[in-house]
Amino acid sequence: MADYTTVGKSVKKIDALSLAMGTEPFTADYPLDSPLVLKFMYSDLAHADIVSLDASRAEALDGVAGVFHFWNCPDTFYTTAGQGYPEPSAYDNRLFDHKVRFVGDRICMVAAETSEIAEEAISLIDLEMDPLPALFDPELARDPDSPRLHADGEYMPIPVRYQPEENVCAGLNIPLGDVESGMKEADFIVEHRYTTHQASHAAMEPHVVACYLDPRDRVVLVTATQVPFHVRRIVGRVLDIPIQRIRVIKPRIGGGFGGKQEVLLEPYAALATLRTGRSTFCEFTRSEVFVSSRTRHPMRVDFKMGVKNNGEITALVMDALMDSGAYGSHGLTVLSNAGAKVLPLFNKIPNMLFTGSSVYTNLPVGGAYRGYGATQSYFGFNQHIDMIARKLGVDFLDYCKKWHIKEGETSDIFRILGEGKEGVSQVIGSCGLGECIDVGAAAIGWKEKRGRKQRGANGAIRGVGAAVMMQGSGIPKIDMGGASIKLNEDGSFNLAVGATDLGTGSDTILIQIAAEALKAPPEKFEILSSDTDLTPFDVGAYASSTTYISGGAVKKCALAMLDQLQSVAAEALEVDKETLRHEPECFTDPASGKSFTFEQIGYRSFYAVNQAQLQANASHTSDVSPPPFLAQFAEVEVDPETGVVRVVEFVSAVDCGQPINPILAEGQVEGAAVNGISFALSEQFVFNRDGRVTNAAFGRYGIYTTADMPRMQTFLVPTDEENGPFGAKSVGEIAINGPAPAIANAIFDAVGIRLYDLPMTPERVFQALQESRSQEEPSA
Amino acid sequence: MNGTIIVNGAQIEIDFDPADTLLDVLRDNGHTEVKRGCSKGECGTCLVLLDDLLVNSCQVFAATALGKKVTTSSGLNGDGRPHVIHESFADAGAVQCGFCTPGMVMATHSLLTTTPDPTDEEIRLGLVGNLCRCTGYVKIFDAVKLACKRMRKDG
Amino acid sequence: MSKVTWVYPKSVDELTECLKNDTRPHGGGTGFMRNVPQSGSLADLSGVGIASVRVTDGSVRIGGAATFTAAASAIAAARPGHIVARALYDAASPALRNRITIGGSLALFPPWSSVVGPLVALDAELTIVGATTGTYPVSEYIGNRELGAETAITEIRADASREWESHWYRFAPTHFNYPLFTVVVLTELDGTSISDCRIVLTGNRGRFKRLEAVENEIRGTSQPAVEVTPADLGAGFPDRQGFSGEYLTHLAAVAITRGLRGAERNAT
């Protein structure tokens, strides 16, 4: 490992103290000049035509500034997905439609002086709805008798399969080798179906936007977004206003996890502000966040693997059916990722076939969610590997260590499967998975506990299980981040980045990268991020890209600044630039021993000789997406009488390359792991027969609280990734993928039952136990 | 309705609707350090002290808080500077997005007031009404323990 | 905008007077927060003087406006491990317990109330003022909605003379989720033989149930031999929050059995 001064240190997050005090403004804290409040009217029906909408009574209400609906708004098709351009998501969404497609779909919006008036106005809208048959089962989506959700000119902006006439918003067919003959070579075949469920991102800050016109009538959006530049582009397109006329400012963000990649509220706020000339404010209630924002796409994944008795997997067939809900946001790419981030992990499988479809249903809409398809697919994959290892009579961890991808190796999947198009070949430059497995196994006591079925209180039985995984670091050849740095005369720097800190601490780690490159302390940097007027472009915070891609831009930019600093120092010291030695906050001429500090450079360049603002810019993309690797371990206690599963201990050991800031990297892993644990066990959307979510509240949804926590241990296992800034890879998403399969494998270790469906609620576990008992004792 | 409340030592005149909550009037009067995460008492982002008792300000009618003393996160130290609990959260890496943190800090303060040396279980149960989606609570537990240690030393 | 007005009675007499004029008592809890009355009045009970908690050898007397925190700490101080204190400490969160009142929880009786089960099991009584002023068993009060109309609970009294072994169980998918049901089991032991017991469920069909038939059957049985089956629970549970009524009934039966057997720790 290289010897760094700032990188690898747990520098305190620059906004930690002010956030803890509460003095950092979030979107809802921005003072606005008597804003209009925006409220949506939502559908009670899962699928219906809006036959007529009469807003006259609502419009007549004192304090109502406008009612917005299909018949008075732009009808441009777009996607809320918040991706690059052109988006790999279907343009199947309009601001408002003459049709509703799930319980919670938008019918219209009221702008009023207060939220109470807006709500009263909504109650005065006269609607005539014509109910249509609803489609709730994704397996029936392509059935010719099923209702069609989209048949009004919706389209895919990129040339890929899109068949709304079959309710298919995306499809994939990825063959590699010859699976048929591969299966024939196998000594045994393991085949199973796994399902994963909806989940809410449940960021503590709801979706929220504020909008106003600046003195020159430009639209200014202050918004809780992961993608400020995409917001600007998409709002411009939907409302047909030049991008130049829009400014997007991202203040502090109260968590995103993919949920704030969606461009949900901004077009509406901009529209209302433009129509009324007033400031507008729109903040989702918690139940709106649950129902009408976005969820994790439920997925059914079938895995079939042919295995030789020597452990070699000769063929793998994966078929996935993804429920995209009423709109196709991220419908193609989450599905792709379910294969792309999983199938290369066991790269010696010569024959593979990955097929899949994303289909529309009249249910809440899927979207980007931390893990992004990998979570859905690793749930089955790791259980499948556990089953195979058990059949072979080998230890799961030994099996994984033998067959996982190693440094210097590749997988054809990298080349043939990307995000919505072909992938990019890459050779793994760093992989610490083997060490992660060893470190984690020791921490949880794998050898002592696996298969021992230790007893706890009330006859509960303990077991341990594990899961292995990889993710990526940004989207290769697509994601781009920009950075600029300027020098001040006191030797401090202003760093401006398009990258979006949504609470992860990326502002802090980007400073660390610049500080390392310039050999200046992090305190000497002021960062400005995510203001479309003031900072360079960045695609935004998604696809585990910020540290790797935006960090790469910052490093390049800092080195470009260093070059300028060095030129000025050489001029001042009257020596050859190349002879200077870069030392902390200065350059030294080894011959004379004279130094010239950054501060001296600043004063000289501002006020003395060859005056200039030293300023550097850089952009970064990557031809590869180096995967971080992770091994996770769960010890559970299963109560066989009730099916209640308690996670006793949870261990994560991650290779994220060189961690830039270890405490923040651990925080990413811990947060994702706990989210993954409650996703596995307690979080769920409960629907009634009409497709209505009946538990859209924190008190009924099931996210883990402090009192539900297992003991947690997290280990960073550093590697040096040559493509990453100072050896770094990503760490934001990966750790949400392992808890569900690790827990499922631990439950099997404890009580010998397999849970193929998420969430693994006490009732599901109890039922599986009952079924296995009745199979064991057919007479009983 | 009209009345006064004393927020962080300053008396403020409030003008409010009978159905308004303490959270509504605090935020309307510039106390945006008190966050709104759910409006149902189910997330803990709006916690304040009301006459020294920890409450969800979204679950208190402003009409029942008249004449009372309210302490928010930014007023916890009394002088506008960070309290040792804030510093402990920052030092322990317990602040990610920070939206839950002012509420977490208030719950921690209340816990450490009644239980100066809490066990792990007491910490878990003391913060049970405060949800956090970013940290997985691990570093929040560290922060509470760090604050506890520092407060004992100071006290 | 709500047209509700606020009144601030300073005595039980003033409160009683208010209740005649479309006024509903508000102790400080969450009951009205989601459903603010559109008209009439809300009476802030904080000045009425009905928030005290007294624990003597023979009884626990809790003012109707006493908060969960106040009641739990006073009872736990005098009678460590008392079922009422344990159930109250288990409810909601510290901040909510500082506001939710015993009277409010009885008057509104959500399925997750932590106070109903223990009080019914202890044969508690309560005093109400207003339209139907008087003293009633808690079980009668919560079973008869008419008693809750135009009245306020001023005091709750529970017997504290007997030394029960007590078991408290609540089922919730996470600790801070609303519980789907609660179980209270009180036993009096003679060696390992159960000489007396009381069993109360809440959150079931019919909202709550004292399992008197089961209690009668169990008296005199030895602890390890006790087995309560789902059929013993009568009407059982409705489907709730993604759980089937059948499963919830099974789970409640297990919790009761474990309570009766004196299992050290319940299922969650």
Side-chain angles (χ1 to χ4, degrees):
Chain A
M1 290 284 117
D3 191 16
Y4 298 123
T5 54
T6 303
V7 160
K9 305 290 186 291
S10 291
V11 170
K12 194 182 344 180
K13 198 163 165 290
I14 55 164
D15 47 2
L17 205 51
S18 41
L19 282 167
M21 297 273 284
T23 49
E24 285 274 354
F26 290 78
T27 300
D29 306 335
Y30 267 66
L32 291 174
D33 184 18
S34 55
L36 292 167
V37 176
L38 307 180
K39 286 273 171 197
F40 291 94
M41 180 185 196
Y42 293 109
S43 172
D44 283 334
L45 299 169
H47 198 190
D49 282 319
I50 305 172
V51 179
S52 70
L53 185 154
D54 179 356
S56 52
R57 290 197 300 146
E59 283 161 346
L61 187 68
D62 204 22
V64 171
V67 180
F68 303 84
H69 47 72
F70 175 74
W71 290 272
N72 68 6
C73 286
D75 63 353
T76 311
F77 278 115
Y78 69 104
T79 174
T80 58
Q83 298 163 301
Y85 181 81
E87 296 95 331
S89 288
Y91 281 11
D92 57 7
N93 178 87
R94 295 194 264 222
L95 288 169
F96 300 101
D97 213 328
H98 52 77
K99 206 174 173 182
V100 290
R101 297 180 177 86
F102 69 103
V103 178
D105 205 354
R106 300 134 302 150
I107 292 172
C108 63
M109 176 181 78
V110 172
E113 299 297 337
T114 68
S115 60
E116 289 78 14
I117 295 171
E119 269 155 23
E120 194 185 340
I122 284 169
S123 73
L124 296 174
I125 306 260
D126 295 304
L127 267 185
E128 197 187 328
M129 306 279 277
D130 187 7
L132 298 167
L135 170 65
F136 297 134
D137 181 355
E139 301 286 350
L140 300 178
R142 303 179 67 174
D143 191 305
D145 296 331
S146 287
R148 298 284 164 254
L149 271 73
H150 292 276
D152 202 21
E154 293 89 333
Y155 63 102
M156 195 76 181
I158 60 167
V160 293
R161 179 176 158 205
Y162 179 62
Q163 297 162 291
E165 64 284 359
E166 290 185 22
N167 287 323
V168 172
C169 70
L172 283 173
N173 187 335
I174 307 293
L176 178 69
D178 176 356
V179 286
E180 216 169 293
S181 60
M183 288 293 174
K184 279 185 198 143
E185 288 172 45
D187 292 311
F188 62 92
I189 286 171
V190 178
E191 189 170 7
H192 264 289
R193 169 166 292 194
Y194 306 86
T195 66
T196 62
H197 60 311
Q198 275 103 350
S200 178
H201 307 77
M204 286 300 110
E205 177 201 36
H207 295 70
V208 55
V209 62
C211 186
Y212 58 92
L213 296 177
D214 77 4
R216 292 171 222 159
D217 282 344
R218 290 174 76 224
V219 174
V220 182
L221 286 156
V222 179
T223 178
T225 182
Q226 297 175 220
V227 288
F229 288 89
H230 295 341
V231 165
R232 182 177 67 167
R233 187 193 80 235
I234 290 164
V235 169
R237 181 176 165 272
V238 172
L239 302 181
D240 195 21
I241 46 178
I243 285 174
Q244 181 193 344
R245 301 290 297 162
I246 304 168
R247 176 179 181 186
V248 179
I249 298 168
K250 178 220 70 101
R252 294 296 95 187
I253 300 299
F257 317 112
K260 289 174 183 160
Q261 185 178 351
E262 294 287 326
V263 183
L264 281 178
L265 300 179
E266 294 90 348
Y268 298 95
L271 174 75
T273 288
L274 284 167
R275 289 267 177 98
T276 63
R278 298 270 305 272
S279 306
T280 56
F281 178 72
C282 185
E283 181 180 37
F284 265 171
T285 63
R286 185 50 59 181
S287 78
E288 285 176 286
V289 175
F290 274 107
V291 178
S292 299
S293 70
R294 295 292 177 258
T295 74
R296 183 185 291 289
H297 293 99
M299 203 181 282
R300 180 267 288 158
V301 180
D302 292 343
F303 275 114
K304 179 179 178 183
M305 298 187 201
V307 189
K308 278 189 179 169
N309 288 332
N310 67 2
E312 186 187 341
I313 299 174
T314 54
L316 178 154
V317 176
M318 172 178 169
D319 180 61
L321 180 68
M322 186 167 102
D323 179 357
S324 194
Y327 298 93
S329 181
H330 299 267
L332 172 60
T333 41
V334 169
L335 178 69
S336 310
N337 231 38
K341 295 291 183 280
V342 177
L343 299 177
L345 184 62
F346 280 46
N347 64 325
K348 283 117 196 139
I349 305 173
N351 309 296
M352 293 199 200
L353 175 64
F354 169 34
T355 55
S357 307
S358 284
V359 296
Y360 292 122
T361 61
N362 295 110
L363 289 170
V365 186
Y369 193 139
R370 197 176 208 174
Y372 205 78
T375 314
Q376 287 92 323
S377 153
Y378 273 121
F379 173 62
F381 183 83
N382 273 289
Q383 288 207 68
H384 226 70
I385 298 300
D386 195 49
M387 282 187 252
I388 288 169
R390 285 175 183 277
K391 260 190 184 282
L392 292 165
V394 300
D395 180 73
F396 172 81
L397 300 179
D398 292 339
Y399 187 80
C400 291
K401 278 167 76 172
K402 179 163 180 192
W403 294 102
H404 79 77
I405 195 166
K406 310 284 189 321
E407 281 177 14
E409 295 180 358
T410 188
S411 160
D412 286 327
I413 297 293
F414 290 133
R415 177 177 50 78
I416 60 181
L417 180 56
E419 294 220 350
K421 56 180 188 182
E422 279 190 356
V424 175
S425 280
Q426 65 175 350
V427 172
I428 296 297
S430 62
C431 176
L433 182 56
E435 197 185 342
C436 291
I437 290 173
D438 290 342
V439 167
I444 198 134
W446 180 265
K447 282 192 180 131
E448 300 75 29
K449 291 175 180 166
R450 178 81 163 171
R452 297 298 156 84
K453 300 186 191 298
Q454 288 163 342
R455 292 273 163 171
N458 280 326
I461 305 165
R462 290 197 172 188
V464 291
V468 292
M469 68 222 77
M470 53 175 266
Q471 196 87 26
S473 298
I475 310 173
K477 295 186 191 286
I478 292 178
D479 285 347
M480 187 272 274
S484 79
I485 294 177
K486 67 187 178 74
L487 172 74
N488 301 312
E489 64 262 59
D490 61 350
S492 70
F493 299 92
N494 290 110
L495 169 63
V497 292
T500 302
D501 188 338
L502 59 148
T504 54
S506 67
D507 281 353
T508 304
I509 66 116
L510 294 176
I511 284 177
Q512 286 181 257
I513 289 169
E516 187 67 47
L518 285 163
K519 289 194 183 156
E523 302 78 46
K524 283 290 179 81
F525 292 81
E526 296 301 331
I527 188 165
L528 175 69
S529 59
S530 306
D531 179 326
T532 57
D533 268 14
L534 304 179
T535 69
F537 176 85
D538 190 292
V539 288
Y542 59 83
S544 286
S545 63
T546 303
T547 300
Y548 180 76
I549 298 285
S550 313
V554 168
K555 186 181 174 191
K556 268 190 198 169
C557 184
L559 292 175
M561 168 55 70
L562 188 68
D563 185 64
Q564 295 183 32
L565 295 168
Q566 196 161 351
S567 297
V568 176
E571 195 181 271
L573 295 171
E574 295 175 336
V575 293
D576 269 357
K577 192 175 162 188
E578 285 67 35
T579 64
L580 287 175
R581 204 165 56 219
H582 179 201
E583 292 182 343
E585 291 187 85
C586 69
F587 290 95
T588 304
D589 171 24
S592 66
K594 280 188 194 162
S595 286
F596 205 68
T597 66
F598 289 181
E599 186 177 8
Q600 288 171 310
I601 294 170
Y603 274 98
R604 180 186 169 94
S605 64
F606 273 25
Y607 305 112
V609 185
N610 291 332
Q611 290 91 323
Q613 168 67 64
L614 299 196
Q615 178 157 10
N617 286 298
S619 305
H620 188 64
T621 60
S622 177
D623 290 342
V624 292
S625 176
F629 294 91
L630 173 65
Q632 287 179 311
F633 301 77
E635 181 178 9
V636 302
E637 193 172 88
V638 184
D639 183 333
E641 240 182 323
T642 62
V644 170
V645 174
R646 189 169 72 89
V647 182
V648 179
E649 174 132 31
F650 197 86
V651 175
S652 303
V654 66
D655 155 26
C656 59
Q658 164 66 51
I660 302 294
N661 184 317
I663 207 167
L664 292 178
E666 285 168 16
Q668 286 299 306
V669 174
E670 289 158 355
V674 173
N675 187 339
I677 294 169
S678 64
F679 171 64
L681 294 174
S682 56
E683 293 180 34
Q684 60 176 327
F685 277 71
V686 180
F687 295 95
N688 71 8
R689 280 182 191 186
D690 304 324
R692 173 187 295 279
V693 181
T694 61
N695 65 334
F698 278 138
R700 293 181 170 81
Y701 170 72
I703 86 173
Y704 260 35
T705 69
T706 49
D708 301 298
M709 285 289 293
R711 282 196 304 274
M712 298 275 293
Q713 294 190 70
T714 300
F715 300 92
L716 306 179
V717 175
T719 58
D720 189 10
E721 171 54 50
E722 62 174 352
N723 295 295
F726 300 108
K729 297 190 281 192
S730 85
V731 71
E733 294 186 85
I734 187 168
I736 202 168
N737 299 329
I743 291 167
N745 286 341
I747 293 172
F748 184 87
D749 190 54
V751 291
I753 53 158
R754 281 270 165 218
L755 278 297
Y756 300 105
D757 305 301
L758 288 180
M760 299 178 278
T761 61
E763 181 164 3
R764 288 243 175 90
V765 175
F766 178 70
Q767 279 168 349
L769 283 160
Q770 291 290 87
E771 279 161 28
S772 80
R773 280 174 200 137
S774 64
Q775 279 162 15
E776 277 167 28
E777 310 158 49
S779 58
Chain B
M1 296 176 76
N2 295 296
T4 59
I5 49 175
I6 301 124
V7 185
N8 300 333
Q11 186 162 318
I12 58 174
E13 304 295 323
I14 56 171
D15 180 5
F16 60 98
D17 185 280
D20 279 352
T21 64
L22 179 58
L23 174 61
D24 295 329
V25 302
L26 286 170
R27 289 189 59 87
D28 286 351
N29 285 277
H31 285 283
T32 55
E33 71 275 18
V34 190
K35 304 299 178 194
R36 184 192 298 280
C38 77
S39 301
K40 289 188 169 183
E42 296 171 358
C43 76
T45 58
C46 70
L47 294 189
V48 298
L49 302 180
L50 181 63
D51 278 353
D52 298 326
L53 272 186
L54 187 71
V55 300
N56 299 81
S57 60
C58 76
Q59 297 296 296
V60 174
F61 284 114
T64 66
L66 300 180
K68 294 189 177 174
K69 212 175 71 187
V70 178
T71 309
T72 71
S73 176
S74 64
L76 191 56
N77 208 44
D79 59 0
R81 298 174 61 81
H83 187 274
V84 63
I85 299 175
H86 295 120
E87 285 163 356
S88 302
F89 269 70
D91 292 342
V95 184
Q96 283 192 32
C97 85
F99 200 80
C100 76
T101 320
M104 284 282 182
V105 166
M106 298 313 288
T108 302
H109 181 270
S110 178
L111 171 71
L112 297 181
T113 303
T114 53
T115 318
D117 191 13
T119 63
D120 286 359
E121 188 65 8
E122 283 166 336
I123 295 172
R124 288 153 54 93
L125 293 176
L127 300 182
V128 76
N130 295 74
L131 301 180
C132 168
R133 194 63 148 175
C134 294
T135 63
Y137 306 114
V138 180
K139 307 236 182 290
I140 289 175
F141 294 151
D142 294 346
V144 175
K145 289 176 195 166
L146 183 61
C148 172
K149 207 167 91 185
R150 288 175 174 176
M151 285 165 81
R152 271 207 312 269
K153 217 180 268 174
D154 293 351
Chain C
M1 184 167 137
S2 171
K3 303 279 189 293
V4 77
T5 56
W6 282 88
V7 291
Y8 300 90
K10 294 295 172 209
S11 66
V12 173
D13 287 346
E14 279 186 35
L15 169 64
T16 311
E17 201 52 37
C18 295
L19 292 169
K20 292 176 184 163
N21 307 312
D22 191 17
T23 297
R24 305 184 67 187
H26 171 69
T30 61
F32 291 119
M33 303 303 307
R34 294 168 203 191
N35 202 4
V36 183
Q38 289 305 300
S39 61
S41 297
L42 284 171
D44 179 348
L45 299 184
S46 60
V48 178
I50 50 168
S52 67
V53 186
R54 280 169 294 162
V55 188
T56 61
D57 288 349
S59 71
V60 175
R61 300 163 79 92
I62 309 168
T67 63
F68 276 28
T69 303
S73 58
I75 295 168
R79 296 287 299 274
H82 191 275
I83 181 78
V84 174
R86 275 166 48 213
L88 294 179
Y89 272 135
D90 215 16
S93 66
L96 288 171
R97 292 197 297 270
N98 283 339
R99 293 290 295 184
I100 303 173
T101 63
I102 310 292
S105 194
L106 286 168
L108 300 165
F109 187 18
W112 54 85
S113 171
S114 297
V115 58
V116 169
L119 291 178
V120 169
L122 291 168
D123 281 338
E125 291 182 332
L126 52 73
T127 299
I128 52 178
V129 295
T132 47
T133 294
T135 296
Y136 304 88
V138 166
S139 55
E140 184 182 341
Y141 174 84
I142 58 179
N144 180 356
R145 283 190 177 268
E146 281 178 24
L147 292 176
E150 296 171 44
T151 60
I153 298 171
T154 53
E155 190 177 70
I156 301 101
R157 283 175 305 284
D159 179 68
S161 61
R162 293 181 63 173
E163 293 287 337
W164 296 103
E165 293 281 313
S166 63
H167 299 274
W168 162 248
Y169 176 78
R170 65 202 269 280
F171 176 66
T174 69
H175 196 95
F176 193 43
N177 263 53
Y178 295 104
L180 283 74
F181 67 85
T182 75
V183 166
V184 171
V185 175
L186 304 180
T187 53
E188 195 174 64
L189 299 175
D190 180 6
T192 61
S193 168
I194 299 170
S195 49
D196 196 5
C197 66
R198 292 183 187 171
I199 306 166
V200 180
L201 277 178
T202 72
N204 57 324
R205 286 205 178 85
R207 301 167 80 218
F208 78 104
K209 184 170 183 171
R210 169 98 181 257
L211 299 183
E212 278 161 332
V214 182
E215 292 171 8
N216 289 336
E217 236 173 84
I218 282 166
R219 287 194 190 91
T221 322
S222 90
Q223 266 191 314
V226 175
E227 173 91 49
V228 174
T229 67
D232 296 329
L233 271 50
F237 290 82
D239 294 352
R240 189 173 283 155
Q241 280 188 42
F243 292 91
S244 72
E246 193 187 357
Y247 173 73
L248 295 174
T249 308
H250 164 78
L251 200 55
V254 171
I256 292 168
T257 302
R258 287 178 179 175
L260 289 165
R261 287 181 185 168
E264 204 175 311
R265 189 176 159 276
N266 274 309
T268 39

